[in-house]
Amino acid sequence: MNGPSRTFTPGGPLRGTIAVPGDKSISHRALMLGASALGETRISGLLESDDVRATAAALRAMGVAIERDGADWVVQGLGTGGLMSPRAPLDMGNSGTSARLLSGLVASQDIAVTLTGDASLSRRPMGRVIEPLSRMGAEFRSRDGCLPMTVTGAKRAIPIAYRLPVASAQVKSAVLLAALNTAGTTTVIESETTRDHTERMLQAFGAKLESGAEDGAKVIRLKGESGLRGQNVMVPGDPSSAAFFIVAALLVEGSDLTIRNVGMNPSRAGLLAILREMGGAIEIAAEREAGGEPVADLRVRQSTLAGLDIDPALAPSMIDEFPILFVAAALAEGTTRTTGLGELRVKESDRLAAMAAALGTIGAQVEEHSDGLTIHGTGGAPLAGGGPVPTRLDHRIAMSMAVAGLASTRGVTIDDASPIGTSFPTFIDTLERTRA
């Protein structure tokens, strides 16, 4: 059942200083590694979204004590191999990260877990984690490689060497999490570098992990059964959430917005590089480190953007940001072309089809291809607007079209605003505050 529709209308500029919620990818991993460590893990800045709450609830159902202590979250770890079979299926909601990474965590433990999800998640393919985890000894029962899915962990998992067939941080992370409770050394090889939050955090928790370049690929080796120790984790602001406000400030006349404490991990920095190349006025200040991750403050001012041909090699470093980049391209001068984006067809929705249809509905000129979009920009003129635009239960489609509404003539109506809560529960409040 759809939630409430909502219309986002043009108005004043975006001004002031904001902070975006904690990084979703890092929040998931902090909970899972905290559960797998011995001792207490204290997490500050955890993203309190539907997706992350699904991970926390699943870990609690497997015996992990997780409590809020003031602004922090505290996890009492059970050590590697310490999870227990839950009494009921675990609901992953809309979270592909929860489903795939927890499959890895369970795969090398002598327990059985059934994972379920909402209608959107139940259409997303799990075969990409089933294949390597089955090689490690786990057993899977699923509906055509989708949820609901039962994972039966291996009593004694087998270390493997696995070359990723597609650039996927989730698949890489699932294999590395399974390796924690697997005797011997597990190796993951990726031809295209993906976000490295898992490797950074594993090392911070004390895992015996090494990574480096070999024969043009990144090779990661993890020695299992070495034990993790509880840590204090500081979660930086999510760059994927910041992206919506960055693009909004670039597009809305008179905007001058500062976004504090944004994660600047190089494996997530593709969008910033592209927007600056398009002519976006984005200043990076107060660069520092928090919890093993680089962070900075960003000052963004309204700018005239120019279309680009986007290098497909940048796709893994900005895979979640393409929907909002498409909005920026729709108002740029000239044409923006993207290729190599087949992965977007198996996200929370088919994001290529969804964004092509959504932008077309509100007056943008868009051509859809098998692996990308070609967008002919307005040269800065506002889009017509309209709707209701189908969000397809996809939080990034919903927020991208909200931003498009700010740069339109008569506003943009989305059919369902509720998916926004999966990653950015305070999005609408923050947006209204910047325009007050």
Side-chain angles (χ1 to χ4, degrees), residues 251-253 302-305 328-334 377-383 407-408:
L251 296 181
V252 177
E253 185 176 358
Q302 187 264 328
S303 306
T304 299
L305 303 179
L331 285 108
E333 294 181 347
T378 65
L383 296 166
S408 69

Side-chain angles (χ1 to χ4, degrees), residues 30 46 79 101 108 120 140 217 226 257 264 277 344 388 404 410 418 422 424:
L46 185 85
L101 268 61
S108 59
S120 171
F140 291 83
S226 56
L257 185 68
M264 298 293 289
E277 190 175 350
L344 291 186
R410 64 178 189 269
S418 60
T422 66
F424 200 158

Side-chain angles (χ1 to χ4, degrees), residues 3-6 8 391 398 414-421 428:
S5 65
R6 189 172 181 107
F8 295 85
T391 58
I414 60 174
D415 68 341
D416 185 358
S418 60
I420 292 171
I428 294 173

Side-chain angles (χ1 to χ4, degrees), residues 132-156:
L133 297 176
S134 295
R135 287 175 52 185
M136 298 180 77
E139 297 180 1
F140 291 83
R141 285 188 293 110
S142 68
R143 178 186 54 78
D144 299 324
C146 296
L147 300 187
M149 178 173 75
T150 298
V151 187
T152 303
K155 291 185 178 180
R156 187 154 185 83

Side-chain angles (χ1 to χ4, degrees), residues 120-199:
S120 171
L121 182 58
S122 297
R123 292 191 295 267
R124 297 181 67 182
M126 295 294 146
R128 55 181 56 181
V129 294
I130 291 174
E131 197 272 327
L133 297 176
S134 295
R135 287 175 52 185
M136 298 180 77
E139 297 180 1
F140 291 83
R141 285 188 293 110
S142 68
R143 178 186 54 78
D144 299 324
C146 296
L147 300 187
M149 178 173 75
T150 298
V151 187
T152 303
K155 291 185 178 180
R156 187 154 185 83
I158 305 162
I160 62 172
Y162 188 69
R163 182 180 288 272
L164 295 177
V166 295
S168 171
Q170 290 181 356
V171 177
K172 171 178 66 175
S173 299
V175 174
L176 292 175
L177 289 171
L180 287 174
N181 198 44
T182 301
T185 299
T186 295
T187 304
V188 178
I189 304 152
E190 52 180 7
S191 301
E192 296 181 69
T193 300
T194 64
R195 58 184 65 177
D196 64 354
H197 303 307
T198 302
E199 298 99 293

Side-chain angles (χ1 to χ4, degrees), residues 193-225:
T193 300
T194 64
R195 58 184 65 177
D196 64 354
H197 303 307
T198 302
E199 298 99 293
R200 287 173 181 258
M201 194 173 292
L202 280 167
Q203 288 176 321
F205 273 79
K208 294 182 179 178
L209 180 145
E210 298 177 351
S211 66
E214 297 180 19
D215 298 324
K218 182 180 178 182
V219 179
I220 307 151
R221 295 184 177 87
L222 190 148
K223 184 177 180 182
E225 298 186 326

